[in-house]
Amino acid sequence: MKSLQHFLHRFVCCMFVAGTLLSCKRNIPVPLPSPETLHTVTFRLTGFEADVVPMRGAAARLAFGDLRARGLALRNIEPGIEPQYLYYWSFNNETLEPDIAIDGAGAGIAFDGAGALDFGSGFALAPFEAGQAWSIRGPQMAEISLPLYGVESLTAFAFDISSSNTGPKDFILTYSIDGGTSYETLSPTNQFENMGAQVRNSYSFDLGTLSDFTGVLKIRMEFLPGDREGAGNYNENTGVVKLDNIRIAGVYNGEPVGNPSLPDILHYFIFDADNGGIAKQQRLSLGELQGDGMVEVMLAGGTYDIVFLAYRSNDGILLPDELADANAFYFGQHFTDDQAITYASLVNRVEVTDADEEATVTLGRCYSLVEFDFTDRVRDLLTVKKIAVTRLHDNYLYTPFGAPIALPITDAHTMVFDGFTDAEDYRIAFHQFLGMPTDTRHVRYEVTAYDEDDELLNKFSVDEHILNSVQLKFSGRLLGTLGSINGFNVELDTEWHDRVESKF
């Protein structure tokens, strides 16, 4: 019996081996686990259209298409050491696009009038022939926006202007270097010398005193009836003004890398919504995105929490070196990185199914602008050669999944401002990172003033409770009154989510 059982056992084994070998010789495939099917999830990023106010008062209002860390859209201009036209509008192509520009995409013209966009016969000015001029019926205002990144100096702003018998014969010229928040007068009255209908008047204005070339210069013309001797009665609805050969000259020393007042890096983190584990992350230049801020991500089916960050930093952003799950995530900036630009958004429970998906993500600003406007007499203010601002509050972070156990340590708590040459230099400002709080956060600063020998002149502290994306402005005497400090005023700026002004 045992021999028979042994024989049968060997027979079965041999048949199994033979069958296996036969299967191999016939190349019968062995089933393998199938890979997960990935689906395309497209995110359209928005939220950068808001004003972003960099240091020293410069500002820019730019749409998403202009902020993708691109090189500037140069038109018919090369960097050089000699003055040249930085922008020139001939209008000969019957558009509001500049013929010469250091940033053709960022430059623009806006106007307020009774009629639609129109063009008429223009005036010749080398290197352009007469061609066309820009015509405005019922003109109230015209404003030219001129990005100045890479400009070393300005010389003049000039243009030709004429008007109909019932059109304006005078205008006020103002300019802004803070994105249109405030305007300074460039020329308060500009009465036409040639009063005839559509007779050429040429103007040129010296811009040599301007020195802030980190943002966008806005030049505004507000049209007035003026002296009507030799012309008809003014009609603000039917009068026509023509503008031609609008140009600004200066020295352009090279193309900068993007706009310093806008983000240049996009970083996203994708977490499993159920267990918090990180599924994917990527850091890329905003210039790599598709048109209109499109980001495509390949994901397997599931539910995800996604954090989007957009930022520009000189000192490095605060992020975990190694990130395993959502509970360890944080985002912030060093206090002394006073020009850092930070945006963020959390998208909860994104469902990825068998179909490709598309979603719009709006990123919000993570910081507030803090300004100090010192109201001392100029001669007293000029005795201050150094101002130190020390953070007395916590270094806030963005932690959308709760406070992590391990937090970054930063000793950057004091920033120093110096190099003052005139009263305007003492209007100091910086970006205070707050994250994305749902309620107010307490900010507190110690301000110390020193003379040229580094001797202490005065010291005081200020504080306020604010949300993110507000403009907080402290105004008062830096040196105080015989050592005592005045109280603060608080002002809220509606151009941001809010503006706070505090006098001391």
Side-chain angles (χ1 to χ4, degrees), residues 107-398:
I109 293 179
F111 68 98
D112 184 8
L117 182 64
D118 197 12
F119 300 89
S121 58
F123 306 106
L125 182 69
F128 296 95
E129 60 185 16
Q132 299 293 296
W134 176 32
S135 178
I136 314 173
R137 181 175 299 277
Q140 301 296 316
M141 179 275 294
E143 186 171 88
I144 301 98
S145 296
L146 305 156
L148 298 181
Y149 314 114
V151 171
E152 182 177 318
S153 62
L154 295 176
T155 55
F157 171 73
F159 56 90
D160 295 318
I161 188 171
S162 65
S163 70
S164 64
N165 196 42
T166 58
K169 301 296 181 181
D170 193 5
F171 59 90
I172 299 172
L173 198 66
T174 57
Y175 71 95
S176 173
I177 58 172
D178 60 8
T181 300
S182 62
Y183 286 81
E184 301 290 336
T185 300
L186 186 59
S187 182
T189 179
N190 302 278
Q191 175 65 43
F192 285 18
E193 291 184 4
N194 300 317
M195 302 293 287
Q198 302 302 355
V199 176
R200 184 178 194 167
N201 289 268
S202 297
Y203 290 89
S204 181
F205 302 90
D206 181 17
L207 298 180
T209 59
L210 294 184
S211 59
D212 191 338
F213 307 128
T214 59
V216 176
L217 172 65
K218 291 178 177 288
I219 298 180
R220 174 180 291 182
M221 285 177 276
E222 298 176 70
F223 300 103
L224 303 173
D227 182 358
R228 309 299 301 177
E229 185 177 356
N233 294 328
Y234 178 62
N235 190 317
E236 64 178 2
N237 296 315
T238 62
V240 174
V241 70
K242 285 184 181 179
L243 290 162
D244 201 5
N245 302 313
I246 296 176
R247 57 206 184 273
I248 186 170
V251 176
Y252 174 63
N253 57 16
E255 183 178 355
V257 181
N259 181 345
S261 68
L262 296 166
D264 61 350
I265 297 297
L266 176 71
H267 202 153
Y268 63 80
F269 301 82
I270 302 176
F271 302 97
D272 187 298
D274 296 322
N275 60 33
I278 188 162
K280 189 173 187 177
Q281 67 168 303
Q282 186 174 6
R283 182 182 183 274
L284 64 158
S285 166
L286 279 167
E288 298 177 36
L289 303 190
Q290 302 175 34
D292 299 326
M294 304 291 284
V295 180
E296 289 188 351
V297 181
M298 302 298 294
L299 291 172
T303 304
Y304 301 94
D305 293 330
I306 305 178
V307 177
F308 289 93
L309 309 176
Y311 54 83
R312 177 186 292 267
S313 170
N314 293 326
D315 297 344
I317 289 296
L318 298 176
L319 283 170
D321 292 330
E322 296 182 3
L323 187 61
D325 58 63
N327 292 331
F329 177 81
Y330 60 79
F331 172 51
Q333 73 182 61
H334 297 283
F335 175 67
T336 52
D337 195 4
D338 60 357
Q339 298 184 57
I341 306 295
T342 50
Y343 284 78
S345 180
L346 169 63
V347 185
N348 283 306
R349 302 198 69 81
V350 175
E351 299 281 350
V352 178
T353 60
D354 292 339
D356 293 343
E357 303 286 343
E358 181 173 328
T360 297
V361 178
T362 301
L363 285 86
R365 188 187 286 114
C366 293
Y367 63 93
S368 289
L369 177 70
V370 179
E371 297 179 282
F372 284 87
D373 183 12
F374 301 116
T375 59
D376 307 66
R377 292 181 301 178
V378 173
R379 68 178 185 182
D380 294 334
L381 204 55
L382 290 175
T383 64
V384 178
K385 301 303 179 183
K386 184 175 74 174
I387 301 172
V389 178
T390 301
R391 169 178 58 84
L392 300 179
H393 57 266
D394 294 336
N395 192 46
Y396 294 116
L397 297 168
Y398 174 52

Side-chain angles (χ1 to χ4, degrees), residues 10 36 75 501:
R10 293 192 62 183
E36 289 186 290
R75 293 185 183 174
E501 181 171 348

Side-chain angles (χ1 to χ4, degrees), residues 451-470:
D451 65 11
E452 61 183 353
D453 296 321
D454 216 27
E455 295 291 332
L456 176 67
L457 294 175
N458 200 13
K459 178 187 292 187
F460 59 90
S461 63
V462 295
D463 71 300
E464 189 58 58
H465 289 81
I466 58 172
L467 291 168
N468 72 306
S469 196
V470 307

Side-chain angles (χ1 to χ4, degrees), residues 376-456:
D376 307 66
R377 292 181 301 178
V378 173
R379 68 178 185 182
D380 294 334
L381 204 55
L382 290 175
T383 64
V384 178
K385 301 303 179 183
K386 184 175 74 174
I387 301 172
V389 178
T390 301
R391 169 178 58 84
L392 300 179
H393 57 266
D394 294 336
N395 192 46
Y396 294 116
L397 297 168
Y398 174 52
T399 55
F401 304 105
I405 296 176
L407 291 175
I409 297 174
T410 173
D411 295 328
H413 54 74
T414 299
M415 61 181 72
V416 175
F417 299 86
D418 54 16
F420 309 118
T421 58
D422 55 50
E424 287 299 313
D425 292 338
Y426 291 88
R427 300 185 67 174
I428 62 178
F430 55 89
H431 291 178
Q432 172 63 64
F433 186 94
L434 296 173
M436 302 289 284
T438 56
D439 55 5
T440 61
R441 283 187 162 171
H442 186 207
V443 294
R444 185 165 179 253
Y445 307 100
E446 181 181 80
V447 181
T448 310
Y450 299 90
D451 65 11
E452 61 183 353
D453 296 321
D454 216 27
E455 295 291 332
L456 176 67

